[in-house]
Amino acid sequence: MTSSTSRQTAARIQSARTSAGQPSLKVGAVGRQGRFAEARRRSAFLWAVAAVLGLAGCMGGPAAPVGGSTSTVPSSSAASPSESSVTRDGRTILPAVPEDCSTPTADDVRSRLGSVAASVQTPQASASTKDGVSTVTCVYSLIPVPVGQMPDPGNALVLTTTKAPDSAGIAALGLPRLMMSPEPVEGAGERAWFGVNRLSATTEYVFESVQGLTAIRASLGVPSSTPEVGDAKQRLQALLSGL
């Protein structure tokens, strides 16, 4: 990736964080805010990143309750198709169902990612579609989430599966998405990339692969104070290989 492209990618991530009230890419201490305020900012950032990935509006719904990973995947599966809403960018929000995030399970995530995922929670599912491109997002918080709150993207594994109707739809995604200095990875789909986004309060390990008309993106976000996640590329690749 050229330095110009890298700067553009950084600007997109910074723009998403700025619009959500998040710290910029400049390394520095997080402002003196309460924990609750910080959680609200990070939840807002999840919405902002979702907008960049084409998921805006589909991240709603209650968060996974505090507890282990054996509860049912939170979803709005009781809603009928007529109850689906449409976002301002024309994206139709679909009722999420437990099967959307049945694989990998929280136990699979814990096994593949190791100690960083020791307290991983049951995933929160969301789904949307636009112009024939469907997207399913599964957010696996790495820490317990109070009922009624969104998972903190700075402490979660986010899996995004995007299916396009044709090759033009895949090309329009602009792969790889939101990744600073991506490096090609062999042996994962037709094409794959890995990169690390080092932000002021969060470090994101990102792996994205494409096979046919399906793109899968895994983003492992941890607080910047967390020790380096060893073998992050190999761990995420192994996790996606089972999907």
Side-chain angles (χ1 to χ4, degrees):
M1 172 179 284
T2 65
S3 59
S4 175
T5 303
S6 180
R7 287 195 298 270
Q8 292 175 0
T9 302
R12 292 178 68 197
I13 300 175
Q14 180 170 330
S15 176
R17 283 183 168 267
T18 300
S19 65
Q22 283 287 293
S24 69
L25 287 173
K26 180 179 180 181
V27 177
V30 177
R32 295 181 179 178
Q33 304 288 339
R35 291 184 179 178
F36 179 72
E38 178 67 13
R40 288 175 61 87
R41 286 198 300 273
R42 287 184 173 178
S43 293
F45 171 56
L46 181 59
W47 282 76
V49 169
V52 177
L53 292 178
L55 313 177
C58 68
M59 300 304 298
V66 174
S69 60
T70 58
S71 59
T72 303
V73 175
S75 71
S76 54
S77 56
S80 67
S82 62
E83 294 175 320
S84 299
S85 59
V86 178
T87 65
R88 284 176 293 182
D89 69 344
R91 183 167 299 279
T92 300
I93 308 308
L94 304 175
V97 296
E99 290 76 12
D100 288 340
C101 295
S102 60
T103 303
T105 65
D107 287 339
D108 293 333
V109 172
R110 187 180 299 108
S111 175
R112 294 294 189 183
L113 299 187
S115 60
V116 72
S119 299
V120 68
Q121 304 294 295
T122 300
Q124 176 176 325
S126 60
S128 69
T129 183
K130 181 182 180 182
D131 298 332
V133 177
S134 63
T135 303
V136 173
T137 299
C138 304
V139 182
Y140 299 74
S141 177
L142 300 181
I143 58 175
V145 180
V147 174
Q149 291 189 22
M150 292 286 291
D152 178 356
N155 213 343
L157 170 71
V158 181
L159 296 183
T160 304
T161 301
T162 305
K163 295 184 178 182
D166 49 39
S167 57
I170 281 289
L173 295 178
L175 303 176
R177 297 167 289 182
L178 287 179
M179 192 183 301
M180 299 172 62
S181 301
E183 60 178 71
V185 178
E186 299 294 333
E190 296 172 359
R191 291 177 295 158
W193 307 264
F194 173 78
V196 180
N197 299 334
R198 298 188 186 280
L199 311 177
S200 61
T202 305
T203 299
E204 299 170 348
Y205 303 88
V206 186
F207 194 104
E208 184 158 39
S209 66
V210 59
Q211 180 70 45
L213 302 179
T214 301
I216 303 179
R217 182 180 192 272
S219 175
L220 174 63
V222 296
S224 56
S225 58
T226 302
E228 191 82 8
V229 177
D231 300 323
K233 178 172 67 175
Q234 292 79 3
R235 290 178 181 276
L236 290 175
Q237 182 174 353
L239 182 66
L240 295 189
S241 67
L243 301 183

